[in-house]
Amino acid sequence: MKVILKQDIKGVGKKDQIINASDGYARNFLFPKNMAVEANTENISKLKAKQDSNTFKKSQEKEEAKKIANKISEITLKILVKSGENGKIFGGVSTKEISEVLEKEYKIKVDKKKIELKETIKTLGARKIDIKLYEGVIANLKINVISEN
């Protein structure tokens, strides 16, 4: 019997996947626990509509991420920090600070977890960092760390 899974089931399949299950397994386990529905034409058409909707939504999100990536690529972010005489920064510039300055000055909200910084910035100067906005969309942000003294 063909069924559409409503949730991930270990060893059986993923959510929204159409699988072949034995009649007894489907009727006695999957259906009563509301883990699957029968793969009839009505349910299959609902599944297709849902998948089309998700595909459209993902394409819209990716387009939005590309627009933001283009904006970010044109920006040179200036971050003022306190530093010593040899160019060492007191503390460091973290992804949280970069995210906050980007939002405050340019009104671009980026989650700090999406900023790819191997370690906190501890020296003055210019550098480029990557921001992973969406799957396959990476923005290059230029940062200039300047001493405020």
Side-chain angles (χ1 to χ4, degrees):
M1 170 184 282
K2 286 191 176 226
V3 296
I4 301 171
L5 297 177
K6 286 184 159 183
Q7 63 191 41
D8 292 353
I9 302 172
K10 191 173 182 179
V12 177
K14 301 263 186 209
K15 181 179 179 180
D16 293 335
Q17 186 179 6
I18 299 173
I19 61 160
N20 278 323
S22 67
D23 289 354
Y25 181 62
R27 286 197 181 96
N28 297 324
F29 182 74
L30 295 175
F31 295 158
K33 293 196 178 219
N34 206 20
M35 296 173 133
V37 292
E38 189 177 347
N40 57 24
T41 54
E42 180 185 346
N43 290 334
I44 290 175
S45 65
K46 284 181 187 176
L47 177 65
K48 293 275 189 244
K50 184 178 175 185
Q51 288 173 339
D52 292 344
S53 172
N54 286 344
T55 304
F56 179 74
K57 186 177 174 186
K58 283 185 178 184
S59 70
Q60 292 288 351
E61 289 172 354
K62 190 169 186 170
E63 286 302 314
E64 189 64 33
K66 284 180 182 177
K67 288 178 187 173
I68 293 171
N70 288 336
K71 282 184 189 175
I72 289 174
S73 297
E74 296 169 2
I75 294 172
T76 300
L77 198 65
K78 291 182 178 85
I79 299 178
L80 296 172
V81 293
K82 294 185 181 193
S83 65
E85 291 177 20
N86 58 354
K88 284 268 192 182
I89 295 174
F90 298 130
V93 179
S94 66
T95 57
K96 181 181 178 191
E97 289 178 81
I98 294 168
S99 175
E100 288 172 352
V101 172
L102 199 59
E103 185 175 357
K104 190 168 90 178
E105 291 185 15
Y106 296 98
K107 307 283 188 269
I108 299 173
K109 191 169 176 81
V110 175
D111 187 10
K112 68 180 183 178
K113 294 173 191 151
K114 294 184 178 188
I115 299 172
E116 293 181 356
L117 194 62
K118 289 166 185 64
E119 54 190 40
T120 57
I121 299 170
K122 297 188 181 202
T123 56
L124 297 174
R127 60 190 43 84
K128 286 184 178 182
I129 59 167
D130 290 336
I131 301 175
K132 197 171 191 178
L133 294 172
Y134 197 78
E135 192 176 313
V137 180
I138 297 173
N140 296 316
L141 176 66
K142 294 181 268 318
I143 295 181
N144 197 1
V145 181
I146 304 168
S147 176
E148 61 182 37
N149 3 338

